[in-house]
Amino acid sequence: MAGPAERSRWEREQARLKAGVVEQDTEKWQKDPSFAGLERVGGVDLSYVKGDDTRACASLVVLSYPALEVLYEDCRMVTVTAPYVAGFLAFREVPFLVEAVQRLQQEQPRLRPQVLLVDGNGLLHHRGFGVACHLGVLTDLPCIGVAKNLLQVDGLVRDELHREQIRSLQRSGDTFPLTGSSGRVLGMGACWVLDVSFLHAQALRSYSNSCKPLYVSVGHRVSLDTAVRLVGSCCRYRIPEPIRQADIRSREYIRKQLCAPLGVRPASPESSKKEAELEDQSDA
């Protein structure tokens, strides 16, 4: 359990790093309607051994774009020592993800991702500096936060209004703004799905009323509009492919390392239960 002194130190570090967040597009490919020039999209994930808060697999994958084929993967078992504290997830997990990016840069720099998709929040955070912001500033890579559950901050709650917004998502690609009590748009709720009969053409179909939204927020060096468009273009199933592949491969790595079909659990209480929420290919 983190004591008051450690929490205070973490808050100061968040404030220091937050000053470096860039909320606008900084790359030429981001300004192109079809993302011309974007060739590599990364995804990161941390999966824990079931029943163990300290053993986990940190995973980084790099996919080609727009084909979304895996070009690179790095899975490593790690020992997590920092305690979980709501709002400070980055201090528990980001150091391992930064190391993975650094290894890639040293070993295969030509495969360095041009953007990272992160299973978590960016500006949609208690202090406006979630794990996607933290990772983005430390790696200086454009980062996007993609969460499966709504983080209830700045007056955002899962009330009837929110449920009505979810019901309004009738077509793939529909969105609604996540506007806090402060009046600031902290992210977007959205749904995407691909029609398997048009998979190779990446054509979109209408989505059903049972849509489970994703919550997209800016991490670093990307605008919210670009973040939403890019996440949608990376979805073959509900979860964008870079994050989905990072999760699948981290789970498989744990199984192989432990030589038994052990389960894994989500990275933290801030994450949804991945076993229930990750889409099976049959759901396409």
Side-chain angles (χ1 to χ4, degrees), residues 9-20:
R9 179 177 62 82
W10 285 349
E11 286 186 4
R12 291 194 301 272
E13 182 68 0
Q14 281 183 333
R16 183 183 70 82
L17 294 174
K18 182 180 177 181

Side-chain angles (χ1 to χ4, degrees), residues 101-134:
V101 172
Q102 291 173 340
R103 282 194 298 270
L104 170 58
Q105 178 63 33
Q106 293 169 1
E107 297 170 6
Q108 298 194 54
R110 65 182 183 84
L111 294 180
R112 180 179 172 87
Q114 294 163 276
V115 60
L116 281 174
L117 272 58
V118 182
D119 182 8
N121 293 295
L123 296 180
L124 180 58
H125 180 265
H126 303 284
R127 286 169 297 282
F129 193 73
V131 63
C133 297
H134 205 127

